[in-house]
Amino acid sequence: MSPPGNSKYKESGTARLLGAGTSGILELFTFHPVDTVAKRLMSNTERIHGPGQTTAQSLSKLNQVIFRDAAAKATISKYLSLFPGLGYAAGYKVAQRMYKFGGQPVARDFLEHHYGQSFTRAFGDRNGKAMLHATAGSLIGIGEVALLPLDV
């Protein structure tokens, strides 16, 4: 979060990039396993629960689908099996978040410095600031298209 507008302190570029990188890492460790489970369930072609199967058999089959080769291993090994391709995913996700969350304040500062008065005159004091932020976000979103081929 930015310091208040009347603060004598200014955001540093390092803080912006570290915060953005941290958000990418936290997102990765939170959602990568969930995405892996979802993809494994969607790509499964066999029924997990069918007529005549006990709940234990169904849970065993579900365990096999979700954890694959690690189904019979210890809990920590099962958890770690939910992170295939982590290195590639980390590189992409952290780079994306650093660009997105670290770049938008830079774009906003640039627009505010060079075109702030134009936005205020065109849209008013309150709406001018909102439009300036929206424009900075749009510019970053356009640039983010360059990272899309890396999203697998």
Side-chain angles (χ1 to χ4, degrees):
M1 187 170 153
S2 301
N6 58 1
S7 173
K8 62 180 178 178
Y9 301 106
K10 186 161 172 46
E11 296 176 2
S12 74
T14 305
R16 288 176 176 170
L17 290 178
L18 284 175
T22 301
S23 76
I25 291 168
L26 290 174
E27 180 180 347
L28 190 68
F29 280 101
T30 303
F31 294 111
H32 193 75
V34 174
D35 287 342
T36 300
V37 168
K39 287 176 183 173
R40 288 180 181 176
L41 288 172
M42 286 187 287
S43 66
N44 179 43
T45 57
E46 299 174 13
R47 285 185 66 129
I48 292 175
H49 181 73
Q53 284 184 330
T54 65
T55 304
Q57 289 171 325
S58 296
L59 289 175
S60 174
K61 199 175 269 190
L62 181 65
N63 187 38
Q64 194 69 34
V65 169
I66 292 174
F67 298 111
R68 294 189 176 165
D69 296 336
K73 295 183 179 176
T75 303
I76 191 73
S77 296
K78 286 182 180 182
Y79 177 71
L80 292 176
S81 76
L82 298 177
F83 289 95
L86 182 62
Y88 179 79
Y92 164 73
K93 190 56 73 178
V94 172
Q96 181 194 35
R97 293 302 178 234
M98 288 178 78
Y99 171 75
K100 187 176 186 177
F101 297 143
Q104 187 168 346
V106 173
R108 182 200 64 222
D109 291 346
F110 175 82
L111 289 173
E112 195 167 347
H113 183 262
H114 293 284
Y115 303 103
Q117 293 299 320
S118 299
F119 275 91
T120 302
R121 278 194 306 272
F123 302 106
D125 197 30
R126 187 174 132 195
N127 291 335
K129 192 168 210 154
M131 288 301 291
L132 189 124
H133 284 259
T135 304
S138 296
L139 291 172
I140 292 298
I142 291 167
E144 197 174 0
V145 169
L147 293 173
L148 284 178
L150 301 175
D151 190 11
V152 178

